[in-house]
Amino acid sequence: IRRGSIELEGTEIEGKFGLHARMNGKGDFYASVRGPLGIELARLLAVGNDIAAIDRFNRKVYLGKKDAVMKKNGLPVDFMQILFGDLPEELSGDYTVNSYNEMVMISGNDDFMRELTICTDEMKICREKIDANSTDHLVYLNFYDFKSSGGKKYASRITMEEKKRMFHVKLSIDDLEYGYDSDIEFSLPSYTRENL
């Protein structure tokens, strides 16, 4: 994401912020959240199974293991792929086709039940409900305004709602480029460390 914004409601920090993010072919992720005048407020790093949130304002680094942090927050480990409306690599389950040109698939395991709604005219996920069986988290994702870049389609507007903690996130992607495949370094400043 070369240019975008993220809007947060019901979280410790609320408001609308600039966003710049990268994800490589290995699934490693980097995101920079910026406030007014382009000043970086926070950075998120996920490399391998290590994850860190860097709070620039309070000079703190929150560290954890990605699989444990995702599960604790009611999200599957492949959440970054889900966030862009991509179909999961292992897609199996019961499905039905409704009258809105949508295919609804229900699949799951002991940890998560997923209800994926695939818009057949876009061949992308347009809605997803993730029910975390062990933590009572219920996350709703909606994908809108599909655009193309480099021959690939993506949702330029994404919303996420979590019912248990009542938070709402709106992601807007103004400029996206596919093909980033450089390594992302897990480089952390010497701030105070806390567990995620």
Side-chain angles (χ1 to χ4, degrees):
I1 301 174
R2 294 196 305 190
R3 193 174 69 248
S5 63
I6 188 165
E7 199 170 330
L8 305 170
E9 290 177 17
T11 59
E12 284 185 31
I13 301 170
E14 293 193 349
K16 186 173 181 176
F17 307 97
L19 178 71
H20 175 80
R22 296 181 186 131
M23 186 167 80
N24 64 21
K26 294 185 271 187
D28 296 339
F29 183 76
Y30 154 93
S32 175
V33 178
R34 299 179 181 271
L37 306 174
I39 298 168
E40 185 175 63
L41 302 174
R43 180 177 292 186
L44 179 68
L45 291 169
V47 177
N49 196 35
D50 293 314
I51 191 167
I54 302 165
D55 179 348
R56 298 280 189 200
F57 188 73
N58 294 308
R59 300 178 63 83
K60 289 185 180 180
V61 175
Y62 300 91
L63 290 165
K65 293 296 178 187
K66 183 167 70 171
D67 56 356
V69 170
M70 292 299 193
K71 188 172 183 176
K72 179 177 136 184
N73 289 291
L75 298 170
V77 176
D78 65 350
F79 181 71
M80 290 307 160
Q81 293 165 327
I82 293 167
L83 187 60
F84 293 104
D86 292 336
L87 297 171
E89 287 179 20
E90 296 178 19
L91 187 63
S92 63
D94 298 325
Y95 71 92
T96 58
V97 177
N98 66 25
S99 59
Y100 301 105
N101 245 2
E102 298 172 340
M103 184 170 72
V104 180
M105 176 170 279
I106 297 173
S107 66
N109 55 31
D110 292 341
D111 296 324
F112 298 100
M113 284 302 296
R114 293 172 154 175
E115 182 179 303
L116 300 161
T117 302
I118 301 163
C119 292
T120 55
D121 54 343
E122 300 287 356
M123 285 313 292
K124 296 288 274 186
I125 296 172
C126 49
R127 283 187 305 285
E128 182 165 357
K129 180 172 83 171
I130 304 168
D131 191 351
N133 298 329
S134 59
T135 60
D136 293 331
H137 285 88
L138 187 56
V139 176
Y140 292 93
L141 293 154
N142 291 288
F143 305 90
Y144 309 98
D145 300 333
F146 289 93
K147 295 183 180 178
S148 290
S149 173
K152 295 186 180 183
K153 199 174 283 191
Y154 68 95
S156 64
R157 304 284 176 257
I158 302 160
T159 61
M160 182 173 99
E161 259 184 294
E162 204 283 331
K163 298 294 184 182
K164 184 178 181 182
R165 285 192 252 141
M166 299 299 293
F167 74 78
H168 184 82
V169 177
K170 181 180 177 184
L171 175 63
S172 299
I173 301 171
D174 300 318
D175 187 10
L176 182 136
E177 183 178 321
Y178 280 95
Y180 184 83
D181 213 27
S182 298
D183 285 339
I184 294 173
E185 289 187 39
F186 198 73
S187 177
L188 305 174
S190 57
Y191 293 168
T192 306
R193 303 280 209 268
E194 290 188 25
N195 290 329
L196 266 173

